[in-house]
Every structure is written in C-alpha cells, then in structure tokens.
C-alpha cells in the first residue's frame, strides 16, 4: 500500500560497516507539501538544523537518510557536510538542493564519511522502487527489526494511501527518541494544515512513549503529501478527520513498535493514569512512573512491587495526596493507598509474565487521563549501551 508518486531507495555506503544497508532515500515524483516535528533537545545535530531551515519552505522532493553516524556535535563542518550531500543528491535527482531534506542517526561526535556517501548516491537513485522495506532497513542502528505501517481511506470515492517508516530502540523519550519517522501520503494537503495534523498526531503518540528517558539530538518526524491521489481531504466532508485519524494511527503503530524494540526490552507496558486533576497532571504522573528505573526493573522481574509505583506517583509533582488505587494487568493490588495482600500480588505477577500489560493508577482529583507506553529495563540494555562504540 504505497502512496502514488513516492519511491524508496537504499544502498550500502560503508557507514555502518561492510554488507549493511546504511543510506536511504525517500523520493516524490512531484513537489510535495512537507511538515516536520523535531527534537526539543538544545543540542541538535546538523541535519536537524538543515531540515528546520528547509521545511519552512512548505514543499520538498526528497529526504536523504543515513544510519551509523548522527552528524551531531560536528560544528560548522558537519552542517557543510549535510549541505554537500543534499546538493549531490539534488544533482542526481535533477532538483534544487533546497528541495532535499536530510536526517542522520548513529554515534554522536564524528564526521560523516562524505566521500563514500557521495559516491553511493547514483546507486541510491537507481535503487528507487515502490517497496519501503529496504529503506526501512537502511535507517536502523540498534533496532532489531524494521518498522513500517500503512493505512488507506476514501475521500469523495477516491482511495488515499498513507505509509510510515520509523527507526528507534534506544535514547527514546521523544519530546518532540534516537528516533526518526517518515510518513508519506498521496493526498493533497496545504503545508500549514499538514503541520497541524502532524503536530497533533506526534503529541498523542511519539510524545507518549519512553524507553530510557533520554531525548536524542536527532529526533525528527516528517510528513510529506504528494497529491497524486487527486483529492484534497480538507475540501471534502469528513476528509480532514479521516486524514488525521490515519496519520495518528500510523504514528501510534510506529511508536508502539519502537517501544517493543527497546534496547534489551522484553515487555511493553502502558502506564495509564485516570482521575488526575487534568490531562497535563495525568501525563506528568504517567511519564514519571514510566521512566522510573525502579519501576522498569520491577517490570523486567515480573514483580508487582507497587511501592515503587506509589513512590513515583508521589514524586511526580502532579499528585494531590489523596487516595490512590493501582492495578497491574487488570488486577487491583492497591486500594485507597493500601496493599491488598500477597494473593492479589501473586495474581498480578501472573499477568506480568505476559509480553504486554497495563499499569493503571486511579485517583479522585478530577477528569484528567493520560497514558505513556514504556518497556522494561534489563541487563541487556546496559550491555548494548556499554558496548555501543566499542
């Protein structure tokens, strides 16, 4: 289910080592409306600087992506490298350099192997095809699997397609995690409206996951709308809602895949808070619990140690101090701030042996509700990150 007018490419440029796809290209046959959401980290990589600069034009033709090197903390030389590579891609594609965006992911602090990458660009263009899988594989770092999601919907009787590709497994606490995501649709959407749809979707999905609480220097989500479907959702009854629902659905799929692929992760857990003073308070509590190393290690050990959850609730700064209830995997283990005993905890432990479950915290302070999706913290996470540059 590939949006009309888009193609994907991937090559081995020698960035990550012999035999591994490490440079990708997303190409639109006609000028596409473009919108982007980027990391809130104050230390930003050169490609983020370049993307922010160019996406404000509102249109683009291509996105060049590399893995294995973040091109972050490389100064003016790193920005010059990004400009040189996008100019080389633009020449090969027959477009202006300003029509090519760039994203990078990998080790921070090293210059890109520009000469090798530039030589690979003709082969990258030749690799363009309708299959997004090689592109999805070319942007991976510590990921265990590629992440692709697609949706289709109808507007005025015409099918509109949307596809999304992402990477991410560690340094994940998107505050838009290291994460990149690229979405493309063949709907016709004006850039300001496209950005509105994207920002809303990112806030409800990528901004509500965590693997390790770290926000990357390179986080980027791009949404391109090529218009080849010949229909503008904003001009049709219900069309804009259908587009927004599809974009949010694809983002949610990709976000959950990122958590499931968390470095060393064996569990996917939704921390849901209900009855908080407001949504912002609920989100703050959920995020504090979801990012607690003590909670995450208890999840890994399948231990319903609710004291760790209660402690995170108490230090969140968004809890009013009244009664609280905790359920794990649908099993209530705390009521009115008091544990319900070993039998309840044993039942909760059985629920925690599964791959996915929910931690629900119920308060009586208002109508606020929010959820953050997290994973467990294992010894494998430490091994991966201790050896990352070795």
């Amino acid at each position: 289910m590939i949006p009309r007018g888009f193609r994907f490419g991937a090559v081995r440029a020698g960035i990550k080592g012999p035999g591994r796809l490490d440079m990708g290209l997303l190409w639109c046959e006609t000028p596409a409306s473009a919108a982007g959401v980027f990391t809130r980290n104050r230390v930003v990589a050169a490609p983020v600087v370049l993307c922010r600069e160019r996406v404000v034009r509102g249109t683009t033709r291509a996105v060049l992506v590399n893995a294995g090197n973040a091109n972050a903390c490389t100064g003016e030389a790193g920005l010059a490298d990004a400009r040189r590579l996008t100019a080389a891609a633009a020449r090969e594609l027959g477009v202006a350099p300003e029509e090519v965006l760039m994203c990078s992911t990998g080790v921070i602090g090293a210059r890109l192997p520009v000469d090798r990458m530039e030589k690979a660009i003709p082969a990258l263009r030749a690799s363009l095809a309708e299959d997004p899988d090689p592109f999805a594989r070319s942007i991976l770092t510590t990921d265990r699997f590629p992440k692709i999601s697609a949706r289709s919907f109808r507007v005025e009787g015409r099918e509109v397609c949307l596809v999304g590709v992402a990477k991410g497994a560690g340094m994940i606490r998107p505050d838009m995690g290291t994460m990149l995501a690229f979405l493309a649709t063949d709907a016709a959407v004006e850039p300001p409206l496209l950005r509105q749809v994207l920002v809303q979707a990112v806030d409800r999905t990528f901004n509500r996951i965590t693997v390790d609480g770290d926000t990357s220097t390179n986080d980027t989500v791009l949404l391109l709308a090529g218009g080849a479907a010949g229909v503008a959702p904003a001009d049709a009854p219900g069309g804009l809602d259908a587009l927004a629902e599809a974009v949010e659905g694809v983002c949610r799929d990709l976000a959950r895949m990122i958590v499931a692929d968390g470095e060393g992760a064996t569990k996917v857990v939704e921390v849901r808070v209900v009855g908080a003073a407001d949504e912002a308070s609920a989100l703050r509590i959920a995020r504090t619990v979801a990012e607690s190393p003590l909670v995450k290690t208890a999840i890994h050990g399948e231990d319903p140690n609710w004291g760790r959850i209660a402690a995170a609730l108490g230090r969140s700064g968004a809890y009013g101090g009244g009664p609280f209830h905790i359920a794990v995997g649908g099993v209530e283990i705390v009521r009115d701030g008091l544990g319900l005993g070993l039998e309840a905890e044993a039942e909760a432990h059985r629920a925690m042996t599964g791959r996915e479950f929910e931690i629900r915290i119920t308060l009586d302070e208002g109508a606020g509700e929010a959820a953050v999706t997290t994973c467990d913290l294992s010894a494998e996470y430490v091994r991966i990150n201790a050896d990352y540059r070795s």
Side-chain angles (χ1 to χ4, degrees), residues 319-342:
Y319 161 58
F324 63 89
H325 320 285
I326 299 173
V328 176
V331 180
E332 188 178 32
I333 56 175
V334 175
R335 184 182 303 155
D336 292 329
L338 301 175
L340 295 180
L342 294 179

Side-chain angles (χ1 to χ4, degrees), residues 139-173:
I139 65 177
L140 305 182
T141 51
T142 59
D143 307 61
R144 291 173 292 182
F145 58 85
K147 301 163 183 69
I148 303 172
S149 177
R151 294 282 195 285
S152 68
F153 56 96
R154 303 194 76 81
V155 177
E156 295 185 326
R158 298 189 183 185
E159 184 182 48
V160 174
C161 295
L162 171 74
V163 67
V165 176
K167 68 83 52 186
M171 199 180 277
I172 301 293
R173 197 266 200 183

Side-chain angles (χ1 to χ4, degrees), residues 105-295:
T105 179
V107 175
I108 293 171
R111 294 277 299 278
L112 291 170
V114 176
D115 290 341
R116 289 201 301 272
M117 294 173 68
E118 198 168 32
K119 288 177 182 176
I121 287 175
L124 183 58
R125 181 183 184 278
S127 73
L128 289 170
E130 293 186 355
D131 182 6
D133 186 72
F135 174 82
R137 293 180 183 278
S138 73
I139 65 177
L140 305 182
T141 51
T142 59
D143 307 61
R144 291 173 292 182
F145 58 85
K147 301 163 183 69
I148 303 172
S149 177
R151 294 282 195 285
S152 68
F153 56 96
R154 303 194 76 81
V155 177
E156 295 185 326
R158 298 189 183 185
E159 184 182 48
V160 174
C161 295
L162 171 74
V163 67
V165 176
K167 68 83 52 186
M171 199 180 277
I172 301 293
R173 197 266 200 183
D175 226 353
M176 43 174 50
T178 302
M179 68 152 287
L180 302 176
F182 309 97
L183 289 83
T185 179
D186 48 20
V189 189
E190 290 299 313
L193 190 57
L194 196 67
R195 174 170 171 75
Q196 178 182 321
V197 169
L198 180 62
V199 168
Q200 176 177 283
V202 167
D203 182 60
R204 294 176 177 176
T205 57
F206 293 118
N207 280 356
R208 302 199 181 192
I209 62 173
T210 184
V211 168
D212 47 24
D214 269 317
T215 297
S216 167
T217 57
N218 290 59
D219 294 342
T220 300
V221 181
L222 297 173
L223 172 58
L224 277 56
V231 63
D235 296 337
L240 188 57
D241 289 340
L243 173 66
E245 182 180 345
V247 171
E248 185 171 329
V250 166
C251 287
R252 180 170 291 107
D253 288 348
L254 296 174
R256 195 166 187 87
M257 289 180 207
I258 287 172
V259 176
D261 198 19
E263 291 169 347
T266 65
K267 310 284 185 183
V268 177
V269 177
E270 183 171 84
V271 179
R272 180 168 295 277
V273 176
V274 298
D278 49 38
E279 184 182 5
S281 297
L283 182 58
R284 187 170 176 180
I285 294 167
R287 183 164 282 147
T288 303
V289 173
E291 291 180 350
S292 165
L294 289 176
V295 172

